[in-house]
Amino acid sequence: MAEVKVKVQPPDADPVEIENRIIELCHQFPHGITDQVIQNEMPHIEAQQRAVAINRLLSMGQLDLLRSNTGLLYRIKDSQNAGPVSFFLSKMKGSDNQEKLVYQIIEDAGNKGIWSRDIRYKSNLPLTEINKILKNLESKKLIKAVKSVAASKKKVYMLYNLQPDRSVTGGAWYSDQDFESEFVEVLNQQCFKFLQTKAETARESKQNPMIQRNSSFASSHEVWKYICELGISKVELSMEDIETILNTLIYDGKVEMTIIAAKEGTVGSVDGHMRLYRAVNPIIPPTGLVRAPCGLCPVFDDCHEGGEISPSNCIYMTEWLEF
Amino acid sequence: MTQAEIKLCSLLLQEHFGEIVEKIGVHLIRTGSQPLRVIAHDTGTSLDQVKKALCVLIQHNLVIYQVHKRGVVEYEAQCSRVLRMLRYPRYIYTAKTLYSDTGELIVEELLLNGKMTMSAVVKKVADRLTETMEDGKTMDYAEVSNTFVRLADTHFVQRCPWVPATENSDPGPPPPAPILVISEKDMYLVPKLSLIGKGKRRRSSDEDAAGEPKAKRPKHSTDNKEPIPDDGIYWQANLDRFHQHFRDQAIVSAVANRMDQTSSEIVRTMLRMSEITTPSTAPFTQPLSSNEIFRSLPVGYNISKQVLDQYLTLLADDPLEFVGKSGDSGGGMYVINLHKALGSLATATLESVVQERFGSRCARIFRLVLQKKHLEQKQVEDFAMIPAKEAKDMLYKMLSGNFISLQEIPKTPDHAPSRTFYLYTVNILSAARMLLHRCYKASTRKVSEGGSHHCIYAGYRCRGGTAPRNRGDDHSP
């Protein structure tokens, strides 16, 4: 009697079952599973069947294929992306992988966006192809182009429904790529006035000098609250924004800053220290040289005796001496 | 010596001493130290006139002489000393504020005559003061001497070096030029003179006949034949001490502007206590204990010891860093950081000039680069919150005015511009020097205007306004 080798078909050799098991495993390990893990779970499945299942899951977009230093990792795609992807897949069933690749690259760039040249480097596709694909995706409203504030000719691409990052739009100081200098100026003056009045009241209180000095300080948190309450800004301003404004006041020489150590819990402290600001006066009045016309004369270097421009026929000098 | 400085020196010498002295002086400034005959030959003036001109210059401390090898005496002009002549009005005004009219006249006489004996000064000043007083009143010599002694005690006037008395009579030929020495302790020693007398009023001899004044003059000269008790002891104005005073004034006013009146009074007291004890080029004053300061405060200021301690702590903690704490004995030892103070004042002057010339936004960029030392174009725009185009324009304006300079840092061995970092930076010392040079040029403009008294005074004020900063420029790191 010839022995018939019967291949015992294990109960869950069904391809769909395999896929489900793999998906369950992926859910169990959200960071990704290696091939080894799948093998351990279902030792009775042959490698080929495993590969088929995994490929199907990948093509359906339910798994992500990642490479780690130990090998290949399979990770479940989180549900957030599952939506548009299925949407995307439904739209372009037969579209080539190139578009998918480009889309993936743009998606990875997050909310900072990616420049077209970088897409080219990452995907190794020729420029013409890239442009076609980008136009395609844009018309399908899957990606959008955002003008970067740093280089006004540069356009970065990002997913349609993402908010562009601050570094691209410039944050609170830019509205539509335009630097709002008047807004900055107004904030500048308001902050300075606040600090000035605080210093004035401290000086007039006529208490002992230590208390006077300490009460003339204002922390950045206080200034932030004051500006928010003033309501002159239509954009929400954070404490860092106010600190950049206060820094410009320091560079104007009107305000000085000290940093003190503060307990973690106190309001406005960042990493255990607080910044305090105080309005100050300049230490010298405008210097002597600029009170005379020569200090401000635009043609000072051309002026010498006997020339076209000379001290004897200087009009600024005669005007100045007419007092 | 830059061209502008030489031009200024020549104008000053011409105004004060005349053409011949100016010719000799400028020649010496240009060529350095030279012997007598070479000067006469090069300038084409007679030996006699050169000798007279040199006498005038030496009398006013503008030229010094040295004996070189082979017995040749060389004369050297001191350009910086000539430039100090611009500040004479300021010195006189300072003496007036400290020691009233008597002091003012003493300093004026000393500055105009170079060197004088004490008795001559006292006599002349008394005569001048008597003239301005009402009829019948005269100025007593004793009062003038007292003021003179006080000036000497606070080191505003000092003795000139003299020939030491040689004990052994040397029969050999006298040296070609006398060697003058002075020791530190003798510099402010006032000789014991009993000057008795009163100022004489000079009678106006208008109504007398023309022949009369001539007869009067020989009689006056015979009056002065009596022996002068302090012959050979000459005094001169100590300019360094005046400069120290200006420096102290600038520091005190800076503290008053930044903090309040009381703090500036405390700093003034500290500086007054270290007037004599600290050399003028020292980086710090001597440490002063809080108790000493409390005792030396001016009488009108009655603040308690604790309040004084609080003020001192505040001064020491201030970001200005003018006052530092050097120890804890005696209630806390405090020093004044002179070099830092002068550096801050010089920097503030630079900032003020930038602000007046280019505008306050340029001043913001300037201070920003000053604080952060090196910045790229993009960083400047970000920190200063100024739109890119305007920031670029302002940076280039300041660059062409030599207030800001560029530092190149190449990324590749071929310094390709697209692959190089360009950083903006401020070189304080060179900017200060450039500004000083501009001051000299501007003063030349004013002094050469000639005629109008106003403009020369204005020129002095302009120059005087920046005078204390010059010392800061020398000392700033």
Side-chain angles (χ1 to χ4, degrees), chain B residues 13-44:
Chain B
L13 288 173
Q14 186 158 14
E15 246 195 68
H16 282 242
F17 303 119
E19 288 228 7
I20 302 178
V21 176
E22 183 248 331
K23 202 159 43 158
I24 310 289
V26 170
H27 176 77
L28 274 176
I29 293 176
R30 278 220 175 92
T31 51
S33 72
Q34 292 202 315
L36 180 63
R37 297 216 172 262
V38 180
I39 301 175
H41 178 262
D42 282 345
T43 55

Side-chain angles (χ1 to χ4, degrees), chain B residues 324-392:
Chain B
K325 190 163 183 187
S326 74
D328 286 314
S329 56
M333 306 289 282
Y334 295 91
V335 289
I336 297 195
N337 195 341
L338 293 168
H339 277 195
K340 185 87 181 23
L342 289 172
S344 312
L345 286 169
T347 318
T349 314
L350 274 177
E351 288 166 13
S352 151
V353 173
V354 170
Q355 178 151 349
E356 299 294 324
R357 264 184 87 179
F358 300 116
S360 43
R361 296 176 108 194
C362 268
R364 191 194 287 182
I365 297 182
F366 184 74
R367 279 195 201 95
L368 166 66
V369 180
L370 205 59
Q371 272 186 30
K372 303 265 186 188
K373 307 275 189 282
H374 291 270
L375 279 180
E376 272 190 325
Q377 168 85 38
K378 185 79 179 42
Q379 291 171 309
V380 170
E381 292 160 15
D382 287 337
F383 279 122
M385 312 221 66
I386 292 181
K389 253 201 252 204
E390 292 177 27
K392 220 180 270 197

Side-chain angles (χ1 to χ4, degrees), chain A residues 173 179 188 208-209 213 248 251-252 256 281-284 287 290-291 294-295 297 300 303 311-312 320, chain B residues 254 257-258 310 314 319 349 352 356-357 364 367-368 371-372 383 385 438 441 445-446 449 458 461 466:
Chain A
W173 313 121
F179 184 71
N188 200 324
N208 73 38
R213 183 165 178 269
T248 62
Y251 304 136
D252 276 335
E256 71 177 10
N281 294 324
I283 59 173
I284 55 164
T287 173
V290 297
R291 288 196 221 150
C294 289
C297 177
F300 185 75
C303 170
S312 27
W320 186 59
Chain B
N257 281 336
R258 181 51 66 98
Q310 282 182 348
L314 279 179
T349 314
S352 151
E356 299 294 324
R357 264 184 87 179
R364 191 194 287 182
R367 279 195 201 95
L368 166 66
Q371 272 186 30
K372 303 265 186 188
F383 279 122
M385 312 221 66
R438 204 177 157 112
K441 253 179 119 181
R445 308 271 180 272
K446 285 174 190 49
E449 272 283 275
R461 273 200 63 225
T466 48

Side-chain angles (χ1 to χ4, degrees), chain A residues 163-178:
Chain A
Q163 273 290 350
D165 185 56
R166 277 173 80 102
S167 62
V168 177
T169 61
W173 313 121
Y174 288 84
S175 67
D176 307 325
Q177 313 303 318
D178 265 331

Side-chain angles (χ1 to χ4, degrees), chain B residues 1-15:
Chain B
M1 299 306 119
T2 63
Q3 280 294 356
E5 288 177 9
I6 298 181
K7 187 103 198 331
L8 188 56
C9 288
S10 93
L11 284 168
L12 285 167
L13 288 173
Q14 186 158 14
E15 246 195 68

